[in-house]
Amino acid sequence: MTTERRYHHGDLRRAVLDAAVEVITEHGTSGLGLRDLARRVGVSHAGPVHHFKDKAGLLTALAAEGFTLLADALDATVAAGGDIVELGVSYVRFAVEHRAHFEVMFRPDLYHEDDPALVEARARSGAALEGGVADQTDPESASVAAWSLVHGFATLWNTGALSRADRDPEAVVRAIARSLFPA
């Protein structure tokens, strides 16, 4: 159910992004509109336009934020000594916990691909993933294989094709990845 929140002289950009996450989580990207977001946060329809210009601008900011959050999660895994499998688990955890971001991030048809903040954030998350396979015999192929595995798994999980209440997505992907990338 949708709830209206009143915006009170704070960070309108953040309020609109948070409302966009709610809408995408509830209805997907097709249910997203700047006028509806303005109504949800209690401002005139010009408020979101001032910050994002258009829907693609909003989704660009959301994708950039998603790639930054993903890079932060992957960097934390590396800092904790995580291997390629644990990077994959972090990727799936991110996708499950940040479904709206994940839904937008890999849909370049929805946003401005050349946005500098987006390009930087995407490169940072990509570098973190690639760093996890540097010790493999063929790092480029391992990178594509590992990313395909975890991205495909996360997508299938988030769309309900694999998710079940009695299964933990992190445990499932960890077991699968360990069988393909033994320690």
Side-chain angles (χ1 to χ4, degrees):
M1 177 169 183
T2 321
T3 57
E4 239 182 80
R5 289 181 306 232
R6 287 297 194 210
Y7 165 75
H8 292 289
H9 307 291
D11 187 352
L12 178 58
R13 183 178 194 280
R14 176 80 263 147
V16 172
L17 285 169
D18 290 345
V21 166
E22 284 182 16
V23 170
I24 294 168
T25 300
E26 294 170 10
H27 307 289
T29 56
S30 63
L32 187 69
L34 293 181
R35 285 183 180 268
D36 177 56
L37 294 176
R39 183 189 54 74
R40 284 174 178 254
V41 298
V43 298
S44 78
H45 69 271
V49 172
H50 171 75
H51 286 280
F52 303 106
K53 307 292 185 238
D54 57 18
K55 181 177 175 178
L58 170 70
L59 293 173
T60 300
L62 198 64
E65 181 177 79
F67 281 114
T68 298
L69 292 168
L70 176 59
D72 290 347
L74 297 173
D75 288 346
T77 299
V78 170
D83 61 1
I84 185 173
V85 170
E86 292 308 313
L87 278 172
V89 171
S90 290
Y91 187 96
V92 169
R93 181 182 310 119
F94 167 83
V96 170
E97 292 176 356
H98 300 278
R99 289 179 71 152
H101 289 89
F102 188 74
E103 185 173 334
V104 172
M105 291 163 58
F106 301 100
R107 294 278 316 275
D109 58 309
L110 297 177
Y111 55 74
H112 305 296
E113 285 186 88
D114 58 348
D115 178 78
L118 174 68
V119 170
E120 180 183 334
R122 186 173 44 217
R124 188 172 150 234
S125 67
L129 283 171
E130 289 170 4
V133 296
D135 63 342
Q136 300 292 312
T137 306
D138 180 358
E140 187 174 341
S141 293
S143 177
V144 171
W147 185 35
S148 298
L149 170 73
V150 296
H151 187 83
F153 179 89
T155 300
L156 290 168
W157 188 271
N158 281 349
T159 60
L162 290 177
S163 60
R164 288 192 355 216
D166 64 334
R167 290 171 42 179
D168 171 25
E170 293 179 32
V172 174
V173 79
R174 183 177 286 115
I176 295 167
R178 280 272 174 241
S179 71
L180 297 173
F181 296 97

